[in-house]
Amino acid sequence: MPLSIPVAPFQGDADLPKQTEVVVIGGGIIGVMTALTLAERGIPVVLCEKGVIGGEQSARNWGWVRQLGRDAAEIPLAIASRDLWRGMNARVGAETGFRETGISYLCYDRADLETWGAWHAKGAAAGVEAEMLDAKQAQALLPGAQPGLLGALHCASDGRAEPWLATTAMAEAARRAGARILTGCAVRTVETAAGRVSGVVTERGAIACSQVVLAGGVWSRLFAGNLGIDFPQLRVIGTVARVTGVSGLSDMPVGASHFAYRKRLDGDYSIALRNANITPILPDNFRLMGEYLPSLVTAWRELRLRIGPDFVQELRMPRHWTGDAPTPFERIRTLDPAPTRPFIRKALENLRQAFPAFAQARVVQEWAGVMDVTPDAVPVAGPIASLPGFFIASGCSGHGFGIGPAMGQLTADLITGATPIVDPAPFSIARLRPKLAQAA
């Protein structure tokens, strides 16, 4: 079946290599940027994607490239990624849609001012060049806004890119640099010899290698679990829409507590109801409840808990398998959830009240994506010491598109022993699973 979103076409390699140095599992932006960085450094690398390149959350996100609002641990990664995005079109020799337009978070009440004012101080201490605007400055920055703004947090060096273009452009560049890119080729399991990684088994056959990167997005927990690695990660579903018939606004992505919008490369706008996501109740929610309870308490207003047929499907899904039979990754090539249409209706209603330019906006496309969320909403990038040669780069918690370039480079740095682009300590599995950071 066709996907609910357009993704730039990418034709995977036909032949399965018998051996390589590194196998990357997952063709989202994290896996692709890891493969691109390794290939540019002359490291033999094969990327295996069970479906299509960029088919899941990498093409379904808002398309924001931001430093604003990041967790303190993630700010250095966001700054480094912004720097990499600046040169991305030239690096990959294609259009990724990146434009350094700035991003603003709008304040409509005292709570907004306090929240973003506190973040502004934290961001400034970490090196983010943002400014807290008063009401007059905010209105001048957004001439199309209705009166009522009390202020805004603005970062001129943030920007936007085009999700449906960027990851495939990066994959083509990785292939030109020497990477092998396989699509429709699920990795079933990892093989070991003498206690460390020796290869992978795919649905097409085996590939010998000495290192493996798991960049499987929402699938990472399931894959790692089959190897005896308890990687804590849950699913959250976000809904986005494309609207047409909007003109007269700046190119800058804008967010508030009750809406978000981004101008697209095609001239339309991607919109969303900010702070509104679906959390499907699945068996893993009960298994990991204790770890996620603190974040649920603080973010409960942003989440809508739902239980449905996916619970039974997940309950029946195998959690352990061998490499000689089809796996869940072959049965479900691409997660393509239904959008939550009331969210879009509410977002458009809110936008029409805040910006008259949306008065005649018409929804032409809706979609949803599944985000991979860790207990602290900070990604993991690094080795799993209990399985030498195995790395995880996952758990980006809805931030992966913006931080993808630096996440990929950090992972490649750790694999090759190069000086890391940022301090890797905050992204170590040790903070979530100390035993996995200890050698077996």
Side-chain angles (χ1 to χ4, degrees):
M1 291 180 61
L3 299 180
S4 62
I5 55 166
V7 180
F10 180 94
Q11 184 66 46
D13 296 344
D15 298 328
L16 182 83
K18 295 300 182 184
Q19 63 181 36
T20 189
E21 179 63 29
V22 182
V23 169
V24 177
I25 303 171
I29 192 169
I30 307 300
V32 168
M33 283 304 305
T34 301
L36 172 59
T37 308
L38 290 171
E40 288 174 336
R41 295 177 182 179
I43 307 298
V45 56
V46 176
L47 184 147
C48 297
E49 162 56 44
K50 62 183 174 56
V52 298
I53 296 296
E56 293 187 324
Q57 186 59 16
S58 291
R60 297 164 187 268
N61 61 85
W62 294 1
W64 292 29
V65 176
R66 64 179 173 89
Q67 302 156 87
L68 289 186
R70 297 296 189 193
D71 184 279
E74 205 175 82
I75 289 174
L77 200 63
I79 294 173
S81 264
R82 184 278 317 275
D83 293 343
L84 292 172
W85 273 109
R86 282 173 165 167
M88 192 60 67
N89 282 0
R91 180 179 178 182
V92 303
E95 180 64 81
T96 65
F98 179 74
R99 303 291 186 272
E100 194 168 323
T101 57
I103 287 178
S104 290
Y105 284 141
L106 310 186
C107 302
Y108 286 98
D109 55 36
R110 301 302 304 179
D112 290 341
L113 286 172
E114 291 173 5
T115 296
W116 294 120
W119 191 93
H120 176 254
K122 179 174 68 175
V128 179
E129 296 177 351
E131 53 186 333
M132 198 69 200
L133 308 179
D134 62 23
K136 185 176 181 180
Q137 292 170 319
Q139 203 73 45
L141 183 68
L142 294 156
Q146 290 280 64
L149 281 172
L150 298 183
L153 176 63
H154 175 67
C155 182
S157 60
D158 279 348
R160 59 181 174 87
E162 206 58 61
W164 71 280
L165 288 175
T167 303
T168 49
M170 295 164 179
E172 291 286 9
R175 182 155 56 188
R176 289 196 302 271
R180 303 292 300 277
I181 312 287
L182 307 178
T183 56
C185 182
V187 175
R188 291 176 172 175
T189 190
V190 173
E191 294 186 312
T192 61
R196 64 166 294 117
V197 167
S198 63
V200 300
V201 177
T202 79
E203 62 181 289
R204 296 193 208 170
I207 304 174
C209 64
S210 60
Q211 297 177 98
V212 170
V213 177
L214 175 58
V218 294
W219 298 96
S220 294
R221 174 170 170 78
L222 183 63
F223 188 94
N226 186 51
L227 303 177
I229 297 169
D230 179 24
F231 179 51
Q233 184 175 271
L234 292 180
R235 299 182 177 190
V236 173
I237 302 173
T239 292
V240 190
R242 176 169 69 93
V243 300
T244 193
V246 181
S247 61
L249 297 178
S250 72
D251 290 350
M252 176 179 63
V254 172
S257 61
H258 55 308
F259 63 76
Y261 71 78
R262 170 186 68 87
K263 188 172 184 180
R264 300 160 53 94
L265 207 60
D266 58 18
D268 287 343
Y269 283 76
S270 289
I271 69 167
L273 184 63
R274 194 162 174 269
N275 299 326
N277 296 301
I278 298 295
T279 299
I281 302 300
L282 302 172
D284 274 343
N285 293 70
F286 295 97
R287 297 181 183 111
L288 299 172
M289 183 180 295
E291 294 179 72
Y292 281 83
L293 197 56
S295 60
L296 181 62
V297 169
T298 58
W300 65 272
R301 290 183 179 87
E302 303 175 15
L303 302 173
R304 305 334 191 242
L305 303 179
R306 298 280 172 84
I307 189 165
D310 286 349
F311 183 92
V312 176
Q313 181 182 0
E314 290 279 329
L315 199 60
R316 293 175 174 171
M317 185 175 289
R319 301 187 71 84
H320 298 283
W321 55 83
T322 59
D324 58 0
T327 65
F329 315 114
E330 292 145 86
R331 287 192 285 273
I332 305 175
R333 294 288 179 179
T334 304
L335 287 172
D336 195 13
T340 304
R341 290 193 167 88
F343 286 1
I344 296 304
R345 290 197 294 270
K346 185 62 176 176
L348 197 49
E349 175 187 327
N350 294 340
L351 280 163
R352 285 168 173 158
Q353 292 175 0
F355 292 89
F358 283 92
Q360 303 301 318
R362 178 172 56 87
V363 175
V364 292
Q365 188 179 18
E366 300 168 298
W367 66 90
V370 189
M371 295 170 275
D372 48 325
V373 180
T374 60
D376 59 5
V378 173
V380 169
I384 304 300
S386 58
L387 179 53
F390 188 73
F391 295 76
I392 290 181
S394 192
C396 288
S397 306
H399 314 155
F401 184 72
I403 64 173
M407 267 287 287
Q409 182 165 327
L410 176 60
T411 305
D413 291 340
L414 295 172
I415 288 170
T416 60
T419 301
I421 187 172
V422 298
D423 180 6
F427 312 107
S428 169
I429 193 67
R431 74 179 196 275
L432 301 173
R433 291 290 185 271
K435 290 184 179 180
L436 294 179
Q438 300 166 3

